């Protein structure tokens, strides 16, 4: 999607971390990061940097001194991947601040988005860029190395256009919404398979992402300027292409062995369908736990 050039952003919603040391910090037990993609060894994605341990709740990856002041306008977001994340965060926050009370009780809280390079420490443990974008329930933060967008294109076969990039952020924001509603805590995250709770959580995030896309052109900055122009058919197709590329069957299929019993994120068809459900029907239609297995 394209931002209106004169839209204004609150850049404090996103931080850019530098100097990652790869050290773990405590999250009160096992790591609870929610990956956007299935980590597949055939792509050389190394999980060695994602470890648990420790008892400190203080981030030890050092600085948050990355300067994002250049990212205060829609014009900047149309030209720069990091600024596009800032713009997406502003639009997502405006959307969910209004939408959340319509689908759940309790208070809506804004997650913080952290851009990083190399490695990062979180309340869920430490992670390397190889893990891909993720959401940490322990600190209610989203973590993203924008080099993942190159991975979408080079390794996973997606086009990786502007809406596809923002879909990545919107998906992780969707995990935050599932955390606030209690769906995340209630889910049995240890299971796998096409109808498992793990898959239902991921499809719910896809649906929430689609719901935001459907309403994104109505979100406004503090001055009343809409953040985004309506998505084109080509941009929607690009987002759906990304959803397909990161389906469990698509990723496994590149190694020649598709194993549905091991799925944790959903098939390409499931991910596209639930994104479309949110896009066309809104966030209220995203209760993936209310759907029987053969319809999921």
């Amino acid at each position: 999607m394209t931002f209106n050039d004169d839209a204004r952003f609150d850049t404090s919603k996103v931080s850019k971390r530098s100097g990652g040391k790869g050290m773990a910090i405590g999250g009160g037990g096992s790591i609870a990061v929610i990956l956007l993609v299935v980590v597949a060894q055939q792509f050389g994605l190394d999980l060695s940097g994602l470890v648990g341990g420790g008892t400190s709740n203080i981030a030890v990856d050092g600085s948050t001194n990355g300067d994002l002041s250049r990212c205060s306008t829609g014009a900047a977001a149309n030209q720069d991947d990091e600024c596009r994340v800032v713009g997406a965060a502003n639009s997502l926050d405006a959307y969910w601040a209004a939408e959340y009370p319509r689908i759940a009780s309790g208070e809506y809280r804004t997650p913080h988005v952290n851009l990083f390079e190399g490695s990062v420490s979180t309340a869920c443990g430490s992670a390397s860029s190889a893990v891909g974008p993720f959401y940490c329930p322990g600190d209610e933060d989203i973590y993203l190395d924008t080099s993942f967008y190159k991975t979408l294109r080079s390794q996973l076969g997606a086009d990786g256009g502007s809406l596809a990039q923002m879909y990545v952020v919107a998906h992780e924001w969707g995990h935050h919404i599932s955390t606030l509603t209690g769906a995340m805590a209630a889910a049995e995250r240890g299971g796998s398979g096409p109808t498992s709770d793990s898959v239902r959580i991921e499809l719910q995030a896809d649906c929430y992402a689609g719901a935001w896309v459907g309403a994104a052109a109505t979100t406004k900055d503090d001055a009343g300027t809409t953040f985004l122009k309506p998505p084109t058919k080509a941009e929607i197709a690009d987002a759906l292409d990304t959803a397909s590329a990161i389906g469990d069957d698509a990723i496994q299929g590149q190694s020649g062995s598709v194993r549905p019993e091991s799925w944790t994120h959903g098939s390409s068809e499931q991910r596209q369908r639930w994104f479309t459900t949110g896009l066309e029907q809104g966030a209220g239609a995203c209760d993936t736990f209310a759907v029987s297995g053969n319809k999921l």
Side-chain angles (χ1 to χ4, degrees), residues 74-151:
N78 287 329
Q79 301 296 323
D80 183 295
D81 285 352
E82 291 182 343
C83 296
R84 189 171 294 115
V85 173
V86 173
N90 275 257
S91 176
L92 280 157
D93 197 34
Y95 169 72
W96 282 112
E99 184 64 21
Y100 185 80
R102 299 188 181 106
I103 66 167
S105 60
E107 179 186 3
Y108 169 73
R109 297 186 297 275
T110 302
H112 193 74
V113 180
N114 298 278
L115 302 178
F116 71 96
E117 297 177 0
S119 62
V120 67
S121 294
T122 79
C124 298
S126 290
S128 71
S129 296
V131 171
F134 63 95
Y135 169 76
C136 173
D139 54 24
E140 296 189 356
D141 277 13
I142 294 166
Y143 296 87
L144 169 68
D145 186 333
T146 55
S147 65
F148 176 74
Y149 297 143
K150 295 180 182 178
T151 302

